[in-house]
C-alpha cells in the first residue's frame, strides 16, 4: 500500500474541516424566545403538523405526530388567543423559556418550553407545567405514559 500524496489528502482534509465548522453553527438571528413564539403561533394557527416538524429529533423519536396533535388539542394550545414569553435562560445548547398561554375563555395556562439547539435551530424538546402547589413537582405535558389498570398512581 502506497502512502497518499498531498493532492489526495488535501480535499478530504478540507472537507472534514468545513463539515466540523458547519456542525457547530447556529442561527444567531433567532433566539430561543423567538422559536417558542413561532411554535405557539403555528399551534394557534392550526399548523400542528408543521409545528411537530419543528420539534427536536428526540421529541419526535418518542412521540408520533398523531399523539402530538391529540395532546395539543387536549391542552387547548391550538385555541390560545395569545401567548406571552419571558426571557430565555440558556444552559449551553439548552434553553428554557417561560410562557403563559391565554385560551379564548380568558384563563391562563403557564408552560415552560425547554428548547435544544439542533441543526442550527432552536427546537422544542419538552414542555413542562409550573410546579404543582403542595408537591413542588413539574410535569412534562407531552410525556407518554402507560395507561393500564395498575397505573392509577401518579407517575414518578
Amino acid at each position: 500500500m502506497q502512502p497518499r500524496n498531498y493532492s489526495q489528502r488535501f480535499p478530504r482534509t478540507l472537507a472534514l474541516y468545513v463539515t466540523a465548522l458547519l456542525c457547530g453553527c447556529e442561527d444567531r438571528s433567532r433566539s430561543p424566545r423567538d422559536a417558542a413564539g413561532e411554535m405557539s403561533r403555528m399551534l394557534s394557527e392550526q399548523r400542528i403538523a408543521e409545528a411537530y416538524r419543528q420539534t427536536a429529533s428526540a421529541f419526535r423519536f418518542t412521540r408520533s405526530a398523531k399523539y402530538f396533535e391529540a395532546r395539543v388539542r387536549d391542552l387547548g394550545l391550538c385555541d390560545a388567543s395569545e401567548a406571552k414569553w419571558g426571557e430565555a435562560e440558556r444552559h449551553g445548547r439548552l434553553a428554557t423559556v417561560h410562557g403563559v398561554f391565554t385560551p379564548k375563555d380568558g384563563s391562563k395556562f403557564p408552560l415552560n418550553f425547554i428548547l435544544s439547539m439542533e441543526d442550527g435551530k432552536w427546537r422544542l424538546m419538552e414542555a413542562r407545567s409550573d410546579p404543582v402547589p403542595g408537591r413542588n413537582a413539574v410535569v412534562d405535558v407531552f410525556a407518554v405514559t402507560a395507561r393500564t389498570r395498575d397505573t392509577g398512581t401518579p407517575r414518578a
Side-chain angles (χ1 to χ4, degrees):
M1 183 182 222
Q2 296 180 0
R4 293 183 178 152
N5 64 22
Y6 177 76
S7 64
Q8 291 174 324
R9 288 186 305 200
F10 179 73
R12 291 182 182 152
T13 305
L14 181 63
L16 179 65
Y17 283 126
V18 169
T19 302
L21 287 173
L22 290 177
C23 287
C25 292
E26 69 180 68
D27 181 4
R28 296 194 188 273
S29 65
R30 284 186 38 147
S31 69
R33 182 180 180 186
D34 295 336
E38 180 62 25
M39 176 68 71
S40 64
R41 259 189 308 285
M42 282 187 251
L43 295 175
S44 68
E45 293 170 359
Q46 305 289 322
R47 299 182 315 176
I48 299 171
E50 186 179 346
Y52 178 75
R53 288 190 297 272
Q54 296 302 315
T55 60
S57 59
F59 184 96
R60 292 189 311 272
F61 182 73
T62 57
R63 300 158 184 98
S64 70
K66 288 186 183 232
Y67 176 83
F68 178 73
E69 181 176 355
R71 201 62 191 120
V72 164
R73 292 189 188 286
D74 285 347
L75 294 168
L77 299 179
C78 56
D79 297 326
S81 59
E82 74 172 330
K84 293 185 180 180
W85 296 98
E87 291 302 316
E89 295 175 28
R90 286 193 61 174
H91 308 283
R93 298 184 66 78
L94 292 176
T96 303
V97 185
H98 179 74
V100 178
F101 289 82
T102 306
K104 292 175 182 161
D105 67 3
S107 62
K108 304 287 185 195
F109 184 63
L111 275 182
N112 296 303
F113 275 17
I114 290 85
L115 303 149
S116 68
M117 176 54 69
E118 185 177 292
D119 299 328
K121 296 180 182 176
W122 289 104
R123 298 181 181 273
L124 179 67
M125 184 94 155
E126 271 184 19
R128 294 182 184 167
S129 65
D130 275 350
V132 176
R135 288 195 296 160
N136 204 22
V138 295
V139 178
D140 178 4
V141 297
F142 288 109
V144 179
T145 57
R147 296 185 184 193
T148 62
R149 285 182 289 154
D150 59 344
T151 56
T153 59
R155 193 167 44 100

